[in-house]
Amino acid sequence: MIEHLPSDWRQAVLVGRLLTREGPTPIVVVEGRVRDVSRHAATVSQLLNGWNGNVPEGRDLGPLESFGFTCEFSGQKEIRLLSPFDLQCIKASGVTFAISAMERVIEERCRGDASKADSLRASLRDRIGTDIRAVKPGSEEARKLKAALIADGLWSQYLEVAIGPDAEIFTKAPTLSSVGWGDWIGVRADSAWNNPEPEIVLAVDSAGRILGASLGNDVNLRDIEGRSALLLGKAKDNNASCAIGPFIRMFDGKFTLDDVRKCTVRLEIIGDEGFRLEGGSSMAQISRDPTELVGQTICKHHAYPDGFALFLGTMFAPIADRGTAGQGFTHRTGDVVRVSTEKLGVLENKVTTCDQAPPWSHGIADLMRNLARRGLLNN
């Protein structure tokens, strides 16, 4: 998996989870070597809540390249990488880029019908697209634009969270349900219009400290959410529909939140039929700073004792036709999806349907029983 790691991975501090014969195990990769830190912290949540910048000693498991991790997508591997988050809540922020705001409005006005998207896209972008990109959410200019759009009959609930004072923050997936690097990622079999959402995912502890970042794919079912925003839960929270990995890269002198602010998140999709699509999101174009999104997630109204992962949103919404003209892009079973940045590496997954994805059967109670058997709950 070396080609899927950050370009400077030997200088990076990486936190992850390894599934071994004993069970899920928190690991830290430092100077290219893997340390089992489960005796110091039984979960990644505990590890991050106690993070002080010093890497725990742990048990040396050898060089990372010796593990031979592969993206073969066939059978269950005895030792494999899991999603780097465990007990943390998986949160997501939506409509944080102007382009994605426009696409959500299009979905809403199409009522989930992809065949109507092209004409609406041209009309809406001509009338309001450039204005949105220039407006700071919650500002006086945003208030005036909102009034003008209401008067013109163009206001939308998606524009409210795009330029209004309150960000869209929602729960993407239950604790322990996210899949990791090299896993299958699920799309509902009854969705006919959907796409990946390549995003940066922040690792935040119970005190609200932003400690590091990872890569994520927040799968988007455009037809289901487009029918009604009240179907967001059905569109977003499904078996294997949330991928994060390969590791959390911890902030230090070589990698900071400013690197996140400046990076471009790239996307590559390769279909079995030879289809190929590439795109990207420049984090410089995000409408709300990551610190604001974190501040609207954890505050006096909402605590997260185990910390949380926060997807920062994407500007990528593929519109290139894959088949029938005017129908745009949608996933097919077997698509390989790669989300990447230079300093976070590559998150690679393969698309299946949610009902065919490997079942999620290891929940919180199972994890606690496993840790108790291993004598790790007294840390």
Side-chain angles (χ1 to χ4, degrees):
M1 70 170 300
I2 302 304
E3 67 275 13
H4 291 80
L5 296 174
S7 59
D8 59 344
W9 66 279
R10 291 187 185 277
Q11 288 75 52
V13 176
L14 307 174
V15 167
R17 292 170 66 229
L18 191 65
L19 181 61
T20 67
R21 297 177 186 87
E22 290 75 28
T25 301
I27 58 172
V28 178
V29 182
V30 60
E31 296 180 349
R33 299 189 68 85
V34 179
R35 298 182 188 178
D36 173 353
V37 295
S38 58
R39 293 290 167 185
H40 170 82
T43 64
V44 171
S45 169
Q46 182 184 2
L47 176 66
L48 298 191
N49 272 345
W51 192 264
N52 60 9
N54 297 319
V55 180
E57 285 299 325
R59 180 165 62 96
D60 191 299
L61 301 181
L64 180 58
E65 58 264 42
S66 70
F67 283 79
F69 297 122
T70 60
C71 285
E72 293 180 351
F73 303 104
S74 58
Q76 286 292 319
K77 307 173 185 70
E78 191 172 58
I79 298 178
R80 62 189 177 93
L81 279 180
L82 301 171
S83 165
F85 292 92
D86 44 37
L87 296 182
Q88 296 95 331
C89 189
I90 308 297
K91 307 292 287 188
S93 45
V95 200
T96 54
F97 292 83
I99 291 176
S100 63
M102 295 303 304
E103 289 300 315
R104 297 295 86 76
V105 174
I106 289 164
E107 290 166 16
E108 178 185 40
R109 292 177 180 268
C110 287
R111 297 292 187 265
D113 184 351
S115 65
K116 300 176 183 178
D118 273 350
S119 59
L120 273 170
R121 187 174 292 115
S123 173
L124 286 170
R125 283 185 177 169
D126 285 346
R127 297 173 74 181
I128 62 176
T130 55
D131 290 331
I132 289 180
R133 279 189 288 270
V135 170
K136 177 177 174 56
S139 66
E140 178 62 19
E141 290 78 7
R143 188 192 65 76
K144 291 178 180 178
L145 176 59
K146 176 178 178 178
L149 293 175
I150 290 174
D152 205 21
L154 289 174
W155 190 245
S156 160
Q157 58 202 332
Y158 293 104
L159 295 178
E160 175 65 48
V161 295
I163 66 175
D166 299 313
E168 179 190 17
I169 306 291
F170 60 94
T171 300
K172 165 63 182 178
T175 296
L176 288 175
S177 69
S178 57
V179 300
W181 173 90
D183 275 337
W184 293 88
I185 191 165
V187 174
R188 286 179 64 107
D190 56 354
S191 170
W193 188 22
N194 51 69
N195 60 258
E197 292 197 343
E199 303 185 26
I200 298 289
V201 183
L202 296 181
V204 187
D205 74 356
S206 60
R209 296 185 301 163
I210 308 173
L211 298 174
S214 189
L215 295 168
N217 183 357
D218 175 16
V219 175
N220 180 32
L221 307 184
R222 305 189 69 179
D223 47 357
I224 292 177
E225 185 180 349
R227 283 160 43 204
S228 169
L230 296 181
L231 294 174
L232 178 66
K234 185 172 184 176
K236 287 292 188 181
D237 182 5
N238 298 290
N239 291 339
S241 66
C242 176
I244 308 175
F247 295 98
I248 300 167
R249 180 166 184 176
M250 304 302 289
F251 292 146
D252 55 18
K254 301 179 182 69
F255 180 66
T256 70
L257 189 57
D258 280 340
D259 289 300
V260 169
R261 293 183 175 107
K262 295 182 294 186
C263 77
T264 295
V265 183
R266 295 179 176 83
L267 174 72
E268 181 182 24
I269 303 170
I270 303 171
D272 284 343
E273 83 282 27
F275 174 83
R276 192 179 192 96
L277 178 66
E278 295 183 9
S281 289
S282 170
M283 289 297 295
Q285 297 187 43
I286 197 168
S287 59
R288 301 180 196 264
D289 189 76
T291 55
E292 179 187 347
L293 294 170
V294 169
Q296 289 208 30
T297 305
I298 185 169
C299 56
K300 64 182 181 180
H301 306 293
H302 205 316
Y304 295 88
D306 296 302
F308 60 95
L310 179 62
F311 281 75
L312 292 180
T314 185
M315 64 179 285
F316 181 77
I319 61 175
D321 291 329
R322 184 170 196 174
T324 305
Q327 289 292 307
F329 170 86
T330 198
H331 268 310
R332 295 182 184 176
T333 298
D335 283 352
V336 172
V337 182
R338 297 188 183 117
V339 179
S340 64
T341 72
E342 181 182 358
K343 293 199 171 185
L344 290 174
V346 183
L347 170 64
E348 181 171 331
N349 300 95
K350 196 169 188 177
V351 173
T352 186
T353 53
C354 294
D355 56 322
Q356 295 299 313
W360 174 40
S361 57
H362 194 84
I364 297 173
D366 298 289
L367 176 61
M368 293 301 108
R369 283 191 289 266
N370 175 271
L371 297 178
R373 284 196 301 269
R374 295 159 67 186
L376 298 177
L377 291 184
N378 296 322
N379 296 342

